[in-house]
């Protein structure tokens, strides 16, 4: 297994910059998930690591070796594509063995690796079938098997679960986590699904418009986002963002805008803020609870009951959208205004440039 | 009641559709069947009852056409011309179509446009300059005088068909093969070409039919009687045996059989090739 290092990697299509200088250090055996909205460049970055896209500038190293200009097959990587990209005219065994045959691996060795991969992925009884005769989950396993038999230094996954239905996706997610534990391989995984990112990753890389917004362990990114984008992207339902101004006084109290301003003291702030400064308060839906004497008012309009939890959607008197994750079971939308309480220590503060204020 | 009426309407609609299809099938097959039946009956019988069935079939006309009409020679000449032409068109079209569909290079659109322009050029407009060209090259009168222009005229459609087909194949297959360590040629040969079977089959059938039925080109460039292909042979044969309908029908039957055999061999892939890309 090998580490992967990206140094100021850039990619442009004509005059349009897609990847705007990415630095990344991925340790050997680490499971790194690159996550971000559509068009953020995460797949392009993965394809650059794979060698399927040219790098406009910067350096890519795998296992200490500069592979920026190397062909995909010379990088020691294996890739699992979103669409599986299995060769339709070959059987499962032929699909998995193809890369080994091309590179001249002896037949006995091919057979051994094929048997190992088939056993790991429970594909033994499908080896003579063609991809068209397999279900989506089985095809995905074959695609992973094709990667495993190559015994690569680094596994690359490009949204591998996107084409599967919800139930199978959960199942395959667990399989992938087990596979990583078993192989102990370096894996780089691209997804737009933050649940996959949170559950699979040792390290999450949040991307936006070709730039890295934050790198960190999943819970660190969730608990301590660097900016409003990361705070909003990681976590479901999305973080509530309420406009506020810094109150006169100690510089650690903000007034959330509403029909009557709600003063929130934020003693955990390290510094003090200029009174009158416009800021935004971020509150995770999971940190809100129904309380008669709560500070936040909400005019509810929709309730989504998921069984164990429910989502109460509504607006503040100031007009900002608000959602709270509740453990109480509300059968119908209450006709009246409700009050929500939260621990001020769990409120996040952002400046007008969307950067975190600590 | 309503359900019954609905079922009845559906049955009528089905019957109407089938009736229409049978009518078209009869219109298409009738001339072919009459020719075959005539070939298998004595000429006298065909004159008295032109639409009768050939029972018991008489093979004399076919044997006479083969021997007297020298159809064996014509058939061999047609095969000598058709096989290299079809191979040439298929190989070059597949390679050129793949290149145009898969690679972005300067002048790509221009090259593709120039190839497609060939679809609009009728043979008649170049047949005389081509005659002198072949004469100059010393090819006039040889099989190459028909094979090489046949390949050139087959390429525009061939490249168009193959490029459209390769364009439709998912690019991830190409990328997966690159990750697997394939060279471009290996990707073409081991991954893309096997997947292009329907398009290749379609091209084989079209090109074979076109070459097999080509009349004007061999008439102009193959003046040696010993090198005449089927359509020319058929014309001279008709001139010699104008009165013997059975013999002429046997000649026509012999001329059509190879095309039908080629079609039957590639039929399934041919239909897939025609409908490729119609649905995702």
């Amino acid at each position: 297994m090998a580490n992967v290092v990206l140094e100021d990697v850039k990619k442009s299509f004509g005059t349009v910059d897609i990847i705007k200088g990415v630095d990344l250090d991925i340790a050997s055996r680490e499971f790194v998930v690159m996550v971000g909205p559509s068009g953020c460049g995460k797949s392009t970055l993965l394809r650059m690591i794979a060698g399927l896209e040219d790098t406009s500038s910067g350096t890519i190293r795998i296992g200490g070796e500069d592979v920026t200009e190397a062909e995909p097959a010379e990088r020691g990587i294996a890739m699992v594509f979103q669409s599986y990209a299995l060769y339709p005219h070959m059987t499962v065994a032929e699909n998995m063995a193809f890369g080994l045959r091309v590179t001249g691996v002896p037949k006995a060795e091919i057979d051994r690796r094929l048997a190992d991969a088939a056993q790991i992925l429970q594909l033994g009884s499908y080896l003579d079938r063609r991809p068209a005769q397999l279900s989506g989950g089985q095809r995905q396993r074959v695609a992973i098997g094709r990667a495993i038999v190559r015994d690569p230094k680094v596994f690359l996954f490009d949204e591998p679960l996107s084409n599967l239905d919800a139930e199978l996706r959960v199942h395959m997610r667990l399989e992938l986590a087990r596979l990583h534990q078993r192989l102990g391989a370096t894996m780089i995984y691209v997804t737009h699904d933050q649940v996959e990112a949170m559950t699979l990753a040792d390290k999450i890389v949040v991307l936006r418009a070709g730039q890295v917004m934050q790198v960190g362990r999943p819970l660190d990114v969730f608990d301590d986002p660097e900016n409003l984008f990361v705070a909003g992207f990681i976590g479901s339902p999305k973080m509530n963002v309420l406009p506020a101004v810094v109150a006169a006084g100690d510089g650690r109290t903000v007034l959330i805008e509403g029909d009557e301003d709600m003063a929130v003291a934020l003693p955990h702030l390290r510094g003090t803020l200029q009174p009158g400064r416009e800021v935004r308060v971020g509150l995770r839906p999971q940190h809100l609870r129904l309380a008669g004497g709560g500070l936040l008012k909400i005019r509810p309009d929709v309730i989504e009951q998921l069984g164990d939890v429910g989502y109460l959607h509504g607006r503040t008197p100031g007009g900002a959208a608000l959602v709270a994750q509740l453990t109480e079971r509300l059968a119908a939308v209450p006709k009246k205004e409700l009050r929500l309480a939260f621990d001020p220590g769990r409120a996040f503060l952002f400046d007008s440039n969307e950067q975190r204020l600590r | 009641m309503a359900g019954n009426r609905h079922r009845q309407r559906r049955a009528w609609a089905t019957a109407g559709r089938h009736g229409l299809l049978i009518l078209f099938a009869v219109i298409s097959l009738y001339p072919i069947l009459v020719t075959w039946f005539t070939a298998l009956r004595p000429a006298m019988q065909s004159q008295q009852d032109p639409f009768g069935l050939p029972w018991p079939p008489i093979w004399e006309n076919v044997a006479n056409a083969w021997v007297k009409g020298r159809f064996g020679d014509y058939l061999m000449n047609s095969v000598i011309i058709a096989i290299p032409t079809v191979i040439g068109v298929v190989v070059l079209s597949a390679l050129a179509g793949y290149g145009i569909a898969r690679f972005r290079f300067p002048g790509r659109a221009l090259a593709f446009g120039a190839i497609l322009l060939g679809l609009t050029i009728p043979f008649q407009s170049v047949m005389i300059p081509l005659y002198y060209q072949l004469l100059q090259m010393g090819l006039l009168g040889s099989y190459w005088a028909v094979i090489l222009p046949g390949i050139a005229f087959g390429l525009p459609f061939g490249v168009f068909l193959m490029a459209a087909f390769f364009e439709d194949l998912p690019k991830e297959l190409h990328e997966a093969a690159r990750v697997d360590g394939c060279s471009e040629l290996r990707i073409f040969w081991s991954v893309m070409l096997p997947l292009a079977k329907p398009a290749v089959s379609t091209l084989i059938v079209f090109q074979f039919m076109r070459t097999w039925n080509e009349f004007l080109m061999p008439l102009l460039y193959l003046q040696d009687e010993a090198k005449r292909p089927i359509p020319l042979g058929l014309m001279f044969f008709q001139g010699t045996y104008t009165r013997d309908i059975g013999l002429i029908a046997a000649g026509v039957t012999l001329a059509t059989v190879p095309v039908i055999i080629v079609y039957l061999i590639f039929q399934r892939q041919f239909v897939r090739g025609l409908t490729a890309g119609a649905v995702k």
Side-chain angles (χ1 to χ4, degrees):
Chain A
M1 298 307 139
N3 67 331
V4 179
V5 178
L6 308 187
E7 290 166 1
D8 196 22
V9 167
K10 291 180 184 164
K11 171 77 184 173
S12 310
F13 289 113
T15 55
V16 184
D17 296 330
I18 305 297
I19 302 295
K20 299 165 186 165
V22 168
D23 291 289
L24 206 54
D25 203 336
I26 297 167
S28 179
R29 300 175 186 274
E30 204 167 27
F31 197 130
V32 171
V33 177
M34 299 201 282
V35 69
S38 294
C40 71
K42 55 191 185 297
S43 283
T44 306
L45 194 58
L46 189 82
R47 291 164 56 78
M48 287 162 75
I49 298 169
L52 295 171
E53 294 282 357
D54 293 335
T55 302
S56 303
S57 69
T59 308
I60 300 172
R61 292 181 206 281
I62 296 177
E65 196 183 327
D66 184 349
V67 295
T68 317
E69 302 296 328
E71 280 295 307
E74 295 161 358
R75 297 185 178 211
I77 54 106
M79 186 154 169
V80 178
F81 294 83
Q82 181 179 353
S83 62
Y84 320 130
L86 299 177
Y87 310 121
H89 58 297
M90 296 183 196
T91 63
V92 167
E94 287 166 345
N95 260 286
M96 287 163 67
F98 183 65
L100 301 180
R101 280 200 289 123
V102 168
T103 45
V105 175
K107 190 172 178 315
E109 176 65 10
I110 293 178
D111 290 344
R112 188 190 63 76
R113 290 199 205 177
L114 206 62
D116 283 353
Q119 191 253 327
I120 291 171
L121 297 164
Q122 296 159 349
L123 282 169
S125 49
Y126 305 117
L127 288 176
D128 292 328
R129 293 202 195 169
R130 288 185 197 279
Q133 297 166 301
L134 303 176
S135 69
Q138 288 163 345
R139 283 182 208 181
Q140 191 54 273
R141 287 220 294 272
V142 177
I144 295 168
R146 184 167 65 177
I148 291 176
V149 293
R150 287 171 56 82
D151 195 15
K153 293 184 206 163
V154 181
F155 284 84
L156 306 176
F157 296 91
D158 189 4
E159 306 210 28
L161 308 185
S162 301
N163 286 358
L164 304 178
D165 62 46
E167 195 182 334
L168 201 53
R169 201 179 304 168
V170 174
H171 175 72
M172 286 304 291
R173 209 170 66 206
L174 286 170
E175 298 256 313
L176 278 173
R178 288 192 188 111
L179 190 71
H180 180 240
Q181 282 173 5
R182 181 168 183 163
L183 299 176
T186 310
M187 292 184 171
I188 307 176
Y189 186 105
V190 158
T191 182
H192 61 267
D193 182 340
Q194 53 151 313
V195 179
E196 281 172 29
M198 292 295 287
T199 52
L200 287 171
D202 294 323
K203 187 155 87 186
I204 285 183
V205 179
V206 185
L207 286 159
R208 181 196 197 185
Q211 285 177 307
V212 174
M213 293 283 105
Q214 188 168 354
V215 180
R217 287 184 302 177
L219 284 179
D220 291 347
V221 174
F222 182 82
D223 289 336
D224 193 12
E226 295 276 352
N227 52 48
L228 194 55
F229 175 79
V230 175
F233 194 79
I234 301 293
S236 177
K238 209 174 161 173
M239 179 185 280
N240 298 296
V241 181
L242 305 172
V245 288
V246 180
D250 64 354
R252 287 197 173 97
T253 302
V254 296
L255 300 170
I256 296 176
E257 292 169 13
D259 53 355
E260 53 193 67
D261 288 343
M262 296 163 271
V264 183
L266 302 167
H268 60 286
L269 283 181
R270 284 178 216 147
T272 56
L273 302 167
Q274 181 78 34
R277 182 177 175 182
E278 289 189 356
V279 291
R280 279 180 263 188
V281 177
L283 297 169
R284 292 218 180 269
Q286 297 82 358
H287 299 157
L288 298 175
R289 61 183 187 282
L290 281 175
L295 197 61
L296 268 181
K297 289 182 199 163
I298 180 169
R299 292 175 185 148
D301 53 16
V302 174
I303 289 177
E304 292 177 311
Q305 268 299 350
L306 271 65
D308 54 344
V309 293
Y311 299 131
L312 179 71
H313 297 265
R315 292 199 169 270
T316 63
L322 197 67
V323 55
Q325 182 176 314
L326 306 175
T327 46
E328 295 92 338
R329 290 199 172 188
L330 299 175
V333 180
K335 298 271 189 290
K336 54 175 186 175
E337 197 169 73
L338 297 176
R339 282 185 171 266
L340 299 166
F342 59 90
D343 173 5
R346 304 187 93 165
F348 300 92
L349 208 57
F350 303 94
D351 66 13
S352 51
N353 294 323
E354 301 191 351
Q355 294 307 306
R356 178 85 180 277
L357 295 168
R358 289 187 167 93
Chain B
M1 278 302 274
N4 265 346
R5 262 209 309 276
H6 186 67
R7 259 199 300 276
Q8 226 166 25
R9 247 205 323 264
R10 265 216 326 239
W12 276 110
T14 308
R17 268 200 304 272
H18 286 185
L20 208 64
L21 288 173
I22 289 168
L23 180 71
F24 284 130
V26 168
I27 291 171
S28 309
L29 289 176
Y30 178 73
I32 300 171
L33 289 177
V34 165
T35 310
W36 288 2
F37 291 172
T38 308
L40 299 176
R41 301 168 75 203
M44 261 319 233
Q45 225 180 68
S46 298
Q47 275 160 7
Q48 284 163 3
D49 173 18
F51 307 111
L53 289 175
W55 196 256
I58 306 296
W59 295 98
E60 196 187 337
N61 288 330
V62 179
N64 280 342
W66 186 265
V67 180
K68 274 204 254 170
R70 298 182 52 202
F71 262 84
D73 297 341
Y74 299 149
L75 211 69
M76 188 46 72
N77 287 336
S78 278
V79 169
I80 289 171
I81 292 166
I83 288 179
T85 309
V86 171
I87 291 174
V89 169
V90 169
V91 170
L92 294 176
S93 297
L95 284 167
Y98 180 72
I100 283 167
R102 285 287 147 192
F103 306 116
R104 300 287 173 263
F105 52 88
R108 172 182 168 271
L110 192 73
F112 194 37
I115 291 169
L116 291 188
L117 202 66
L119 284 170
T120 64
I121 298 174
F123 173 65
Q124 287 80 352
S125 68
V126 294
M127 62 187 187
I128 293 168
L130 194 57
Y131 181 92
Y132 287 107
Q133 177 99 48
L134 291 167
L135 184 68
Q136 215 170 32
M137 292 167 79
L139 296 174
L140 202 67
S142 74
Y143 290 122
W144 291 112
V146 182
I147 293 169
L148 294 178
I151 292 173
F153 275 92
L155 278 179
F157 174 71
V159 174
F160 172 70
L161 182 78
M162 296 308 297
F165 195 87
F166 284 126
E167 194 88 51
D168 270 357
L169 291 178
K171 81 174 193 314
E172 284 88 350
L173 287 177
H174 183 264
E175 292 174 344
R178 277 184 70 196
V179 172
D180 271 338
C182 290
S183 64
E184 281 301 340
L185 206 62
R186 182 75 190 256
I187 295 173
F188 173 73
W189 185 251
S190 296
V191 179
M192 296 300 173
L193 201 56
L195 294 177
K197 253 192 223 161
V200 169
S201 302
T202 306
L203 189 55
I204 288 174
V205 172
F206 270 130
Q207 191 57 44
F208 186 81
M209 249 164 56
R210 184 184 170 147
T211 313
W212 194 261
N213 296 330
E214 182 61 57
F215 178 79
L216 193 53
M217 213 184 280
L219 180 71
L220 294 173
Y221 306 147
L222 276 182
Q223 282 139 3
D224 183 356
E225 197 194 333
K227 289 179 180 160
R228 275 180 199 156
I230 286 259
L232 276 190
L234 201 60
M235 186 190 73
F236 287 109
F237 183 71
Q238 263 177 305
T240 317
Y241 302 96
T242 34
R243 296 184 139 214
D244 196 336
I245 297 172
L247 206 57
I248 292 170
V252 172
T253 304
L254 284 172
T256 55
V257 166
V259 178
I260 292 167
I261 291 174
V262 167
Y263 175 74
L264 290 178
I265 291 172
F266 295 101
Q267 180 200 20
R268 185 179 292 189
Q269 299 283 351
F270 177 77
V271 174
R272 276 179 59 194
L274 288 182
T275 55
V279 283
K280 275 274 171 199

